[in-house]
Amino acid sequence: MADPSSYRPKPGQIPDSPGVYRFRDEHRRVIYVGKAKSLRQRLASYFQDLSNLHPRTRTMVTTAASVEWTVVTTEVEALQLEYSWIKEYDPRFNVKYRDDKSYPYLAVTMNEQFPRVQVMRGQKKKGVRYFGPYGHAWAIRDTVDLLLRVFPVRTCSAGVFRNAERTGRPCLLGYIGKCSAPCVGRVTPEEHRELAEEFSDFMTGRTGTYIRRLERQMTDAAEDMEYERAGRLRDDIGALKKAMEKSAVVLADATDADLIALAEDELEAAVQIFHVRGGRVRGQRGWVTDKVEAVTTAGLVEHALQQLYGEETGDSVPKEVLVPALPDPVGPVQEWLTERRGSNVSLRIPQRGDKKALMETVERNALHSLALHKTRRASDLTTRSRALEEIAEALDLDSAPLRVECYDISHLQGDDVVASMVVFEDGLARKSEYRRFQIKGFEGQDDVRSMHEVITRRFRRYLGEKEKTGEWADTEAALTEEDGRPKRFAYPPQLVVVDGGKPQVAAAQRALDELGIDDIAVCGLAKRLEEVWLPGDDDPVVLPRTSEGLYLLQRVRDEAHRFAITYQRTKRARRFKASPLDDVPGLGETRKQALIKHFGSVKKLRSATIDQICEVPGIGRKTAESIAVALAQAAPAAPAVNTATGEIMEDEDHVEDAAPETTAGVAEEPVSAGASDERRGQER
């Protein structure tokens, strides 16, 4: 625990201007990012008597080992920079809202020649119009199915579309009238785009225009005694009205607004957002966060606005945002929202009427979301805490191992030997910290030697990063060299777990001893009896089968095994697909494919003359000579064997044009969860 006075800036060193500041821990990891109208006043508030600070703020300043700042011109710039740094550094003491799911959107791909209506998740793409988010994908499909009667826009994938173009036959939707079939030329690209525009207009809330237009057409058709057409129009109107009923009118004045409500206690907060377009609720989403910093309701609202609109522009930012409390100050946030939309945005608290009533509904949803989250998390948090305590007690550790790293070696009968490193923090997997290794020190199968090499390389890098970041130096220059990005091996674990028994544990401990590291515990988990081995002990530690600590160690070990196996298979597949052409300098993938397409196979290419190779477009004489030399030096691949008959297959293209399905007559099959121990022994 650091003393804040040890890194407090000197008097007069901090500028009295807007800016963004970063606190770093002893490993140079950014742990908190904040902004201030006056950096001098804000930072001075952290360096006071610790008893006067909020408990969370006190924890942050005692965890930190340094502070730095960046001066900006305006508070809006400070807001933008704060958001960028929080996203980049993921500081542990900042409020970060966590989505409990990936919300689906209804998307119209206006960036394609023939726009497509589909369900999309994840990062938004340029040129695509999004509607939602929706709670469930089936809700989108139900709505689209109703609207396709009136707006028969393409919904098929690119592959289905190209196949219909090639065959001249539309898909089933084209036959039943739920697609205008642009793939076979029933409508022009311009007519189809107009349909997509009308579909988008209807989804944005401009529904009355289309309903009235269809009603007029139905009346005219009935007067002209075109009763079948009038009946179809009647059904179309019914479909539109049914689609509209799925999102009831909540604001009578056709308002476009987002309503944000919060439910919070001392430890956590939940936020709920209702997206209202055209007076109707078009989407809903929610987040939950730990209150790791001392933050007010207004501060939570500001963080929610950053999370919600940090990546949005244009109409994705509504004209009106209704919140339970205004950020302090409200001016920079409102100006930032206005810049992102490109026109004025109103940020306010609803006081009366329909908007106030709807805000109360959103608040009830937030309260329900927080209660549900606490019910789910209480058991999970308690279980993880108990597991870490059981591990600390069983291994005789001074404290619970908050960061655990596990290592596993994988190979296939001594080939493609690799290793994995997985990281669990607070009992949860931290996949951004996972690392993979190729065994470089030797060839062949030796798990013990491989484990020693991996542990040595990982912690040699840790010592190097520790020295590089200036932790062993007192000069400020060593601290300011870093760009702030997390280092790959900069953070030490409290516990190293190896997949294996006594020999692997001894190898890992020997590697740490050789590096002079004596403050990291080591253990191994053997698969056969799930025994925990400690360095130097003749007998293992046996945890009860019902132990939460054993279950956590098993999860860590199994995750390391999965990660190692995945990498080993990828590496092996890449080796099988290797070609002699890979060794030709300057020969890219496009020209390789051109060569294979021209000659038909690598075998035929090997027998070609330099003049014949030069006939391939893009291949000059110098490159042709390099290709001929590379193919002459490469040994021909062995013939394939039919494993059912033992017959040698003479097909000249069987080996070199594709990755082989077998090697030495043994099928390459993935290891399933129920695979035999014998197979697992071959592929570790």
Side-chain angles (χ1 to χ4, degrees):
M1 183 176 293
D3 182 1
S5 62
S6 64
Y7 62 88
R8 179 174 185 169
K10 298 177 182 178
Q13 190 176 6
I14 308 175
D16 187 18
S17 57
V20 182
Y21 54 91
R22 293 175 290 185
F23 281 89
R24 298 176 182 269
D25 63 9
E26 59 180 347
H27 302 294
R28 298 292 293 157
R29 175 165 45 179
V30 176
I31 62 171
Y32 185 73
V33 174
K35 69 178 188 327
K37 183 178 181 180
S38 170
L39 285 169
R40 181 177 300 171
Q41 294 180 15
R42 177 61 59 83
L43 289 177
S45 67
Y46 291 102
F47 298 100
Q48 53 178 297
D49 189 349
L50 292 178
S51 61
N52 296 331
L53 295 176
H54 189 282
R56 297 186 187 93
T57 306
R58 183 164 61 244
T59 303
M60 188 274 290
V61 297
T62 54
T63 303
S66 64
V67 63
E68 56 194 41
W69 55 86
T70 299
V71 176
V72 297
T73 307
T74 65
E75 293 179 65
V76 177
E77 289 183 23
L79 185 72
Q80 293 172 332
L81 184 58
E82 179 194 34
Y83 170 75
S84 299
W85 279 355
I86 289 175
K87 185 177 179 182
E88 178 179 357
Y89 299 128
D90 190 25
R92 58 180 291 195
F93 285 100
N94 276 95
V95 166
K96 295 181 291 292
Y97 290 108
R98 304 184 301 272
D99 264 318
D100 60 355
K101 65 180 79 173
S102 174
Y103 288 92
Y105 285 82
L106 171 59
V108 184
T109 58
M110 302 302 293
N111 56 349
E112 298 183 20
Q113 181 184 12
F114 296 100
R116 176 189 176 193
V117 175
Q118 64 183 115
V119 178
M120 276 193 177
R121 298 177 186 263
Q123 192 75 19
K124 292 186 176 180
K125 301 177 181 178
K126 188 176 181 180
V128 179
R129 295 184 185 175
Y130 292 88
F131 305 96
Y134 287 76
H136 303 280
W138 56 260
I140 301 178
R141 296 188 179 98
D142 285 351
T143 300
V144 171
D145 186 62
L146 291 169
L147 295 182
L148 288 180
R149 285 185 56 93
V150 185
F151 311 108
V153 186
R154 168 199 164 205
T155 58
C156 61
S157 66
V160 173
F161 189 87
R162 287 194 298 268
N163 184 61
E165 280 186 315
R166 187 178 68 254
T167 61
R169 296 193 303 272
C171 62
L172 177 61
L173 292 178
Y175 282 111
I176 65 176
K178 287 193 173 182
C179 179
S180 56
C183 52
V184 294
R186 287 186 185 173
V187 295
T188 65
E190 293 75 17
E191 291 171 337
H192 185 267
R193 181 167 292 275
E194 185 178 351
L195 278 174
E197 294 282 0
E198 291 178 349
F199 180 95
S200 300
D201 286 345
F202 187 88
M203 288 303 302
T204 56
R206 292 190 279 274
T207 58
T209 302
Y210 297 100
I211 297 291
R212 289 191 295 271
R213 186 179 70 185
L214 290 177
E215 287 175 344
R216 285 196 304 269
Q217 292 175 359
M218 181 183 67
T219 302
D220 294 341
E223 290 176 353
D224 295 339
M225 292 186 291
E226 298 179 5
Y227 299 119
E228 291 187 4
R229 180 167 177 268
R232 287 195 300 271
L233 291 169
R234 178 202 59 204
D235 294 342
D236 290 348
I237 294 171
L240 291 183
K241 289 183 176 180
K242 189 174 180 180
M244 291 166 60
E245 288 171 0
K246 290 180 177 292
S247 54
V249 174
V250 291
L251 298 176
D253 56 353
T255 301
D256 290 346
D258 283 351
L259 289 87
I260 302 174
L262 290 164
E264 56 180 311
D265 58 18
E266 284 296 318
L267 299 176
E268 295 174 308
V271 59
Q272 280 286 313
I273 303 102
F274 276 23
H275 303 278
V276 179
R277 299 294 183 269
R280 300 174 182 270
V281 177
R282 296 293 183 180
Q284 176 187 359
R285 65 191 305 180
W287 299 311
V288 179
T289 183
D290 295 320
K291 294 172 70 173
V292 291
E293 60 174 302
V295 61
T296 62
T297 300
L300 289 170
V301 169
E302 183 175 320
H303 288 303
L305 293 172
Q306 287 179 314
Q307 176 93 356
L308 189 59
Y309 303 116
E311 304 293 330
E312 305 291 348
T313 56
D315 291 339
S316 297
V317 182
K319 298 176 182 178
E320 192 173 7
V321 180
L322 305 178
V323 294
L326 293 175
D328 184 24
V330 68
V333 179
Q334 190 160 340
E335 185 179 344
W336 176 69
L337 291 173
T338 298
E339 286 183 1
R340 302 209 69 81
R341 175 176 170 81
S343 60
N344 187 54
V345 175
S346 173
L347 180 63
R348 64 186 186 87
I349 303 172
Q351 300 295 333
R352 64 184 68 85
D354 293 341
K355 294 177 181 177
K356 174 68 173 176
L358 182 57
M359 177 64 83
E360 292 172 354
T361 301
V362 185
E363 288 173 356
R364 286 195 296 272
N365 277 267
L367 286 168
H368 175 72
S369 176
L370 182 61
L372 184 61
H373 170 76
K374 282 187 167 296
T375 302
R376 290 172 176 171
R377 188 177 181 187
S379 174
D380 180 55
L381 182 61
T382 303
T383 301
R384 285 190 282 118
S385 299
R386 184 166 67 249
L388 293 173
E389 290 170 0
E390 288 180 2
I391 292 173
E393 182 179 353
L395 304 185
D396 196 21
L397 304 179
D398 295 334
S399 60
L402 299 182
R403 180 182 171 104
V404 178
E405 293 181 1
C406 185
Y407 298 83
D408 185 29
I409 308 299
S410 180
H411 55 82
L412 181 62
Q413 298 178 341
D415 293 331
D416 299 314
V417 185
V418 299
S420 66
M421 164 186 143
V422 301
V423 179
F424 275 57
E425 290 188 352
D426 297 330
L428 297 175
R430 190 173 176 86
K431 294 193 176 183
S432 62
E433 301 282 324
Y434 286 13
R435 297 292 179 260
R436 306 181 302 189
F437 301 84
Q438 295 186 51
I439 302 304
K440 303 176 180 178
F442 64 97
E443 294 183 358
Q445 178 178 347
D446 190 336
D447 286 1
V448 174
R449 190 175 173 186
S450 299
M451 186 64 70
H452 180 274
E453 177 183 329
V454 170
I455 298 295
T456 300
R457 286 165 55 187
R458 184 266 183 265
F459 287 98
R460 185 182 293 137
R461 289 288 300 274
Y462 159 63
L463 296 177
E465 297 288 357
K466 190 175 181 182
E467 184 175 9
K468 186 178 178 181
T469 55
E471 190 174 339
W472 293 344
D474 296 327
T475 61
E476 291 190 10
L479 295 175
T480 56
E481 287 176 357
E482 295 298 320
D483 60 1
R485 295 179 181 274
K487 294 298 181 183
R488 299 180 67 184
F489 297 101
Y491 317 129
Q494 284 80 48
L495 175 64
V496 167
V497 180
V498 299
D499 182 14
K502 190 174 180 179
Q504 286 85 354
V505 173
Q509 185 62 56
R510 187 170 71 254
L512 293 176
D513 293 341
E514 291 170 356
L515 295 171
I517 298 175
D518 57 4
D519 56 351
I520 296 176
V522 178
C523 75
L525 186 61
K527 285 189 181 74
R528 191 169 66 89
L529 298 176
E530 303 293 15
E531 302 163 328
V532 180
W533 289 89
L534 297 177
D537 288 0
D538 293 329
D539 299 312
V541 177
V542 179
L543 293 174
R545 288 290 178 176
T546 58
S547 166
E548 292 293 341
L550 177 61
Y551 178 60
L552 178 57
L553 289 176
Q554 289 172 326
R555 281 175 51 216
V556 174
R557 187 270 319 278
D558 292 344
E559 178 69 354
H561 183 71
R562 179 200 66 79
F563 194 52
I565 283 284
T566 302
Y567 180 41
Q568 196 269 339
R569 288 175 179 164
T570 302
K571 192 169 182 290
R572 187 172 74 239
R574 190 181 302 121
R575 177 169 58 85
F576 283 165
K577 292 179 182 178
S579 165
L581 297 176
D582 295 339
D583 298 328
V584 179
L587 190 64
E589 196 62 35
T590 301
R591 292 199 289 176
K592 288 180 192 176
Q593 294 177 3
L595 286 165
I596 297 300
K597 184 177 180 180
H598 182 84
F599 289 99
S601 69
V602 175
K603 183 174 182 180
K604 291 180 180 178
L605 175 59
R606 182 181 285 115
S607 61
T609 64
I610 292 177
D611 290 336
Q612 290 173 329
I613 297 175
C614 289
E615 294 175 1
V616 180
I619 304 296
R621 188 164 191 85
K622 186 175 181 180
T623 304
E625 292 173 353
S626 301
I627 293 171
V629 171
L631 293 176
Q633 293 175 347
V641 178
N642 186 321
T643 56
T645 64
E647 178 185 2
I648 297 178
M649 300 169 62
E650 297 294 343
D651 183 2
E652 62 181 8
D653 300 335
H654 67 271
V655 173
E656 297 170 287
D657 294 336
E661 292 293 320
T662 61
T663 172
V666 180
E668 293 289 344
E669 298 177 352
V671 178
S672 64
S676 67
D677 291 339
E678 180 181 358
R679 176 63 176 152
R680 288 184 180 274
Q682 292 177 352
E683 183 179 37
R684 282 194 41 78

